[in-house]
């Protein structure tokens, strides 16, 4: 397993893909057997999702992808109290710029990253630079422009 | 990587090259070659699926078909004519070219060689696989080797015809007959001939046999045309002169998918291409959006200054904005796809939803390519105007990108631009 990429997921993220995995297995079974199981009519799966999933080969490749993720998953956990002043996966970080404007992100793995809702990947340049820093640390990304971030707050609130 | 970036910079010129035919006939704000390509890709997909053709190939042929024009220029059928000036020239352009068979063949061959050499020059620095792919696709389009090649060649004419109707209307005295003449000389696929009848029903009041499905697809294609006329809001607010349109941006993104997406063997290329086409589709009704949650100041200079910096906000604010935009876009989607065939509607909605929520590998990769496409455009504007700041764009890239291939391209852009 050495050299395999790790997939960091929050508990919520893991539950979400486990559900997707189970739903896809049922869908695959239904396609192969030509039946339409009752679960497919529940509110949890909307019709738009079902229609698109009609392609069996897509289902199979997605199942393989998810299996690979499960084999290499690592849950993001809240660190012990003494380490909660250090930025790590799962931390919600408040950054301040020189002009006082505030930016806030939570550091997650690449599967859950969505900067539009404030979740950035630990493998993004900003994510990489933030890891291991503490409050009041100044982080500078200098290439090709200079971006200065000052760490104002670090919070862990994973369930 | 370096050569791919140089290639992208060169083909970006197609976003600033208006199509010659529209200029000659006096259309206002004519579409560019890139914008035409994007609606052609959409049209090829939507109609090609009815014929169960290879969609990935159709889209690829559409995207590659006019790349040669970066160096060859956009040559219309009036390429054949020596002199198109004055009233005689104007009259000549209202009808299709009138030439002997021998002359058409000779000039057609001349055009083919011109475009072939232009394309070979354009792609020569690329790696062998991409070079072969682009050249063989172009050749397929020109020589109609495959069913997809023949189909896309005809779609090219149909999309142009549709655009001519949108510019000049349906009155022969104003619009002329050249667009129809050229289309009817070219199109022979029975399915596309039927589609032409639907166009005539819609725009000319004819009463050929109705086909609800094709009528609805036509309506959708007409709506998509709006993306050709919508300048990207962020550039517009930043004061960029003649900013790229949404369709122009989609063109760059499609090319980046075709060049860089091929390295990602685990990703579904067809899905990537379709997703790239659809990712801004809601702008047809919601208009373009930007990731800033601000009340725009009336003073343009003050606004431009705000937009020079990356949008900073709390997680709550980001989530609220995301949900608000997402809801509005979802409403827009319902209107846009109301009449499309059920499975197509589902497919496009699913693609858009995956993209918005970053819920698949393809959507995550595409979102990163998207922000790099924006950065590339910003860097090209900076080349034009030295004072144009791109700091905000770099900050976005630093936040959003984590794929190794994307980060390598980002490093290349740091060095080059």
């Amino acid at each position: 397993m050495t050299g395999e990429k790790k997939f960091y997921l929050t508990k919520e993220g893991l539950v979400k893909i486990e559900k997707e995995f189970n739903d896809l297995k049922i869908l695959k079974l239904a396609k192969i057997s030509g039946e339409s199981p009752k679960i497919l009519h529940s509110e949890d799966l909307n019709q738009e999702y079902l229609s698109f999933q009609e392609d069996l080969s897509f289902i199979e490749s997605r199942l393989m992808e998810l299996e690979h993720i499960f084999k290499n998953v690592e849950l993001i956990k809240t660190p012990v109290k003494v380490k909660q002043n250090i930025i790590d996966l799962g931390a919600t970080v408040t950054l301040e710029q020189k002009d006082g404007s505030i930016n806030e992100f939570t550091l997650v793995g690449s599967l859950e990253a969505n900067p539009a809702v404030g979740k950035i990947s630990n493998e993004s340049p900003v994510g990489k630079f933030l890891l291991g820093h503490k409050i009041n640390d100044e982080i500078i990304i200098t290439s090709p422009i200079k971006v200065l971030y000052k760490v104002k707050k670090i919070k862990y609130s994973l369930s | 990587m370096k050569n791919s970036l140089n290639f992208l910079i060169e083909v970006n010129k197609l976003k600033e090259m208006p199509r010659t035919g529209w200029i000659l006939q006096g259309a206002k704000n004519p579409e560019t070659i890139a914008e035409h390509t994007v609606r052609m890709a959409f049209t090829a997909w939507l109609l090609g699926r009815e014929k169960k053709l290879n969609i990935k190939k159709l889209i690829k042929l559409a995207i590659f078909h006019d790349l040669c024009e970066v160096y060859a220029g956009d040559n219309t059928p009036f390429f054949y004519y020596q002199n198109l000036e004055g009233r005689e020239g104007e009259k000549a352009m209202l009808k299709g070219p009138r030439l002997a068979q021998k002359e058409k063949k000779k000039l057609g061959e001349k055009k083919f060689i011109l475009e072939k050499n232009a394309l070979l020059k354009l792609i020569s620095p690329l790696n062998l696989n991409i070079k072969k792919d682009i050249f063989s696709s172009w050749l397929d389009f020109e020589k109609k080797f495959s069913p997809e090649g023949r189909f896309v060649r005809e779609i090219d004419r149909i999309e142009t015809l549709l655009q001519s109707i949108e510019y000049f209307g349906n009155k022969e005295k104003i619009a002329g007959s050249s667009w129809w003449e050229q289309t009817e000389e070219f199109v022979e696929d029975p399915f596309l001939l039927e589609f032409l009848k639907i166009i005539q029903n819609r725009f000319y009041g004819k009463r050929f046999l109705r086909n609800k499905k094709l009528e609805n697809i036509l309506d959708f294609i007409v709506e998509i045309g709006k993306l050709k006329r919508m300048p990207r809001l962020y550039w517009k607010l930043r004061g960029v002169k003649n900013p790229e349109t949404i369709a122009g941006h989609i063109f760059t993104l499609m090319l980046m998918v075709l060049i860089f997406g091929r390295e990602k063997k685990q990703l579904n290329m067809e899905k990537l291409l379709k997703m790239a086409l659809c990712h801004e589709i809601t702008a047809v009704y919601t208009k373009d959006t930007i990731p800033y949650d601000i009340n725009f100041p009336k003073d343009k200079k003050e606004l431009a200054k705000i937009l020079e910096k990356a949008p900073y906000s709390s997680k709550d604010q980001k989530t609220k904005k995301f949900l608000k935009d997402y809801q509005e876009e979802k409403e827009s989607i319902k209107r846009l796809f109301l009449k499309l065939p059920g499975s197509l509607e589902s497919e496009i909605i699913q693609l858009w939803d995956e993209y918005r929520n970053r819920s698949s590998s393809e959507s995550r990769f595409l979102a990163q390519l998207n922000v790099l496409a924006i950065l590339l455009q910003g860097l090209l504007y900076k080349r034009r105007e030295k004072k144009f700041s791109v700091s905000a764009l770099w900050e976005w890239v630093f936040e959003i990108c984590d794929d190794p291939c994307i980060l390598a391209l980002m490093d290349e852009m740091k060095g080059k631009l």
Side-chain angles (χ1 to χ4, degrees):
Chain A
M1 280 297 201
T2 53
E4 288 273 11
K5 178 183 156 85
K6 284 261 169 239
F7 296 98
Y8 295 100
L9 284 170
T10 61
K11 198 172 168 187
E12 186 191 331
L14 182 60
V15 164
K16 203 170 162 189
I17 65 166
E18 279 172 346
K19 184 177 183 307
E20 185 191 350
F21 184 77
N22 291 329
D23 290 341
L24 281 173
K25 275 172 74 178
I26 292 168
L27 194 62
K28 179 181 170 183
L29 210 64
K31 282 219 61 80
I32 293 167
S33 63
E35 288 171 7
S36 180
K38 283 182 190 159
I39 192 166
L40 295 178
H41 301 299
S42 80
E43 283 167 12
D44 291 332
L45 278 179
N46 70 43
Q47 284 303 310
E48 295 157 359
Y49 176 86
L50 282 175
S51 307
F52 187 71
Q53 302 304 348
E54 277 181 32
D55 186 1
L56 188 62
S57 63
F58 164 81
I59 296 170
E60 283 170 345
S61 76
R62 182 65 181 151
L63 280 169
M64 272 176 61
E65 188 185 354
L66 291 172
E67 276 168 356
H68 177 69
I69 292 170
F70 291 139
K71 277 188 194 147
N72 296 287
V73 76
E74 201 164 301
L75 258 190
I76 299 173
K77 290 183 185 144
T78 305
V80 296
K81 213 160 183 179
V82 292
K83 289 195 172 171
Q84 285 185 21
N85 62 336
I86 301 172
I87 300 174
D88 199 348
L89 277 154
T92 297
V93 185
T94 306
L95 302 168
E96 189 183 51
Q97 270 219 315
K98 257 189 185 165
D99 61 3
S101 52
I102 295 287
N103 206 358
E104 194 183 26
F105 308 115
T106 300
L107 248 75
V108 293
S110 56
L111 294 178
E112 289 181 273
N114 188 351
V117 295
K119 292 181 185 176
I120 63 165
S121 163
N122 64 313
E123 293 176 49
S124 66
V126 170
K128 274 188 194 161
F129 271 85
L130 285 175
L131 285 170
H133 283 278
K134 296 181 181 170
I135 290 175
N136 292 325
D137 278 358
E138 285 190 348
I139 299 150
I140 305 173
I141 303 178
T142 52
S143 169
I145 52 135
K146 189 175 168 184
V147 182
L148 172 71
Y149 303 103
K150 185 171 179 179
V151 181
K152 286 297 284 182
K153 209 157 103 178
I154 301 169
K155 196 173 68 174
Y156 287 89
S157 51
L158 299 168
S159 49
Chain B
M1 192 60 82
K2 176 173 133 181
N3 293 331
S4 299
L5 182 56
N6 287 338
F7 170 80
L8 282 173
I9 292 168
E10 286 297 284
V11 296
N12 204 66
K13 293 173 185 171
L14 294 175
K15 284 152 71 170
E16 294 175 348
M17 289 170 67
R19 295 188 80 202
T20 308
W22 308 137
I23 300 174
L24 289 175
Q25 289 207 294
K28 280 197 184 124
N29 298 321
E31 63 169 355
T32 61
I33 295 168
E35 289 158 359
H36 153 70
T37 295
V38 167
R39 190 161 74 166
M40 209 177 124
F42 254 117
T43 309
W45 168 18
L46 299 180
L47 294 177
R49 72 192 288 280
E50 299 300 313
K51 291 198 58 160
K52 307 215 187 304
L53 292 170
N54 182 322
I55 303 297
K56 181 173 94 179
K57 192 170 177 180
L58 289 173
I59 294 174
K60 198 166 62 163
L61 287 171
I63 296 297
F64 288 158
H65 87 287
D66 270 348
L67 294 184
C68 58
E69 294 183 359
V70 171
Y71 297 141
D74 178 25
N75 294 302
T76 69
F78 297 99
F79 173 79
Y80 304 138
Y81 283 12
Q82 297 304 308
N83 182 11
L84 281 173
E85 296 195 358
R87 283 199 71 179
E88 286 307 308
E90 281 173 24
K91 271 164 88 173
M93 279 193 291
L94 284 176
K95 298 206 178 288
R98 302 282 189 260
L99 289 165
Q101 171 77 354
K102 217 171 152 183
E103 215 166 0
K104 275 191 188 174
K105 191 172 180 233
K106 188 176 153 194
L107 291 165
E109 280 165 2
K110 194 174 167 185
K111 183 173 179 282
F112 177 80
I113 290 170
L114 172 74
E115 292 182 348
K116 185 183 98 171
N117 291 340
L119 185 65
L120 287 173
K121 179 184 167 187
L122 179 69
I123 63 176
S124 64
L126 293 172
N127 85 33
L128 189 60
N129 282 337
I130 303 172
K131 208 161 35 184
K132 272 163 72 172
D133 196 9
I134 295 176
F135 188 74
S136 63
S137 298
W138 175 80
L139 207 58
D140 187 358
F141 172 82
E142 285 293 319
K143 299 293 185 189
K144 304 191 275 185
F145 289 144
S146 69
E148 287 78 12
R150 287 191 285 283
F151 193 76
V152 173
R153 188 98 180 146
E154 296 184 19
I155 292 286
D156 185 21
R157 293 293 163 135
I158 292 176
E159 200 281 332
T160 302
L161 169 72
L162 190 58
Q163 188 61 72
S164 76
I165 298 169
E166 289 168 336
Y167 282 147
F168 308 118
N170 59 3
K171 301 280 178 267
E172 195 176 330
K173 272 198 176 147
I174 301 164
S177 62
S178 68
W179 308 108
W180 272 107
E181 281 185 34
Q182 288 162 53
T183 307
E184 285 175 331
E185 277 174 29
F186 227 85
V187 176
E188 52 184 353
D189 183 299
F191 173 72
L192 293 179
L193 288 172
E194 194 182 344
F195 189 65
L196 285 178
K197 290 203 159 80
I198 301 299
I199 290 177
Q200 289 188 69
N201 286 351
R202 171 83 146 80
F203 293 104
Y204 294 82
K206 301 283 185 198
R207 287 167 191 258
F208 294 111
L209 201 64
R210 294 197 65 180
N211 180 324
K212 206 76 189 116
K213 194 194 255 192
L214 287 185
E215 285 167 21
N216 291 338
I217 289 176
L218 173 60
D219 286 345
F220 181 79
I221 291 169
V222 167
E223 287 294 280
I224 288 299
K226 290 178 185 172
L227 298 177
K228 295 186 195 182
R229 301 184 288 280
M230 295 173 71
R232 294 269 281 175
L233 182 62
Y234 180 70
W235 304 132
K236 198 173 153 191
L237 294 174
R238 292 275 318 261
V240 171
K241 288 196 173 81
N242 298 319
E244 63 168 358
T245 57
I246 293 176
H249 161 72
I250 292 173
F251 174 75
T252 301
L253 187 59
M254 302 290 290
L255 277 168
M256 289 173 88
V257 165
L258 285 164
I259 293 170
F260 303 111
R262 64 181 61 225
E263 305 303 322
K264 313 289 289 183
K265 303 286 179 216
Q266 74 278 25
L267 300 182
N268 182 319
M269 178 58 86
E270 181 177 321
K271 187 175 176 184
L272 270 173
L273 290 170
K274 287 174 173 175
M275 200 179 274
L277 276 174
C278 295
H279 81 290
E280 297 266 26
I281 209 165
T282 55
V284 169
Y285 291 133
T286 59
K287 311 295 173 203
D288 197 11
T289 55
I290 56 173
Y292 290 79
D293 190 20
I294 52 169
N295 292 319
F296 293 148
K298 284 192 177 147
D299 185 73
K300 285 183 183 172
K301 281 189 181 160
E302 204 186 314
L303 175 60
K305 263 198 128 40
I306 292 173
L307 298 179
E308 276 178 23
K309 296 187 216 171
Y312 272 31
S313 57
S314 69
K315 259 193 79 180
D316 276 344
Q317 285 170 320
K318 285 177 181 154
T319 307
K320 268 193 191 126
K321 174 157 172 52
F322 172 81
L323 288 172
K324 177 172 169 278
D325 289 348
Y326 179 75
Q327 275 311 120
E328 279 176 12
E329 288 170 29
K330 202 144 196 195
E331 285 307 313
S332 162
I333 280 230
K334 285 182 195 164
R335 275 174 73 190
L336 195 53
F337 303 127
L338 203 52
K339 300 184 210 168
L340 282 183
S343 57
L344 178 59
E345 179 194 357
S346 309
E347 186 182 6
I348 297 180
I349 290 173
Q350 178 66 32
L351 287 165
W352 169 82
D353 201 76
E354 264 187 47
Y355 179 77
R356 271 319 239 126
N357 287 298
R358 309 289 187 264
S359 56
S360 64
S361 308
E362 286 81 9
S363 62
R364 285 187 289 277
F365 183 72
L366 190 70
Q368 296 183 42
L369 266 188
N370 181 60
V371 80
L372 232 56
I374 297 169
L375 174 63
L376 176 62
Q377 188 62 61
L379 290 166
L380 292 172
Y381 288 146
K382 189 174 171 61
R383 263 189 180 179
R384 244 166 45 182
E385 197 197 320
K386 301 289 172 212
K387 287 185 186 169
F388 188 78
S389 168
V390 288
S391 310
L393 306 177
W394 279 113
E395 282 195 65
W396 282 345
V397 166
F398 293 156
E399 285 176 23
I400 290 171
C401 298
D402 68 355
D403 182 281
C405 166
I406 306 267
L407 291 173
L409 177 57
M410 181 189 81
D411 284 336
E412 192 58 44
M413 285 162 79
K414 278 182 199 173
K416 168 103 189 146
L417 290 158

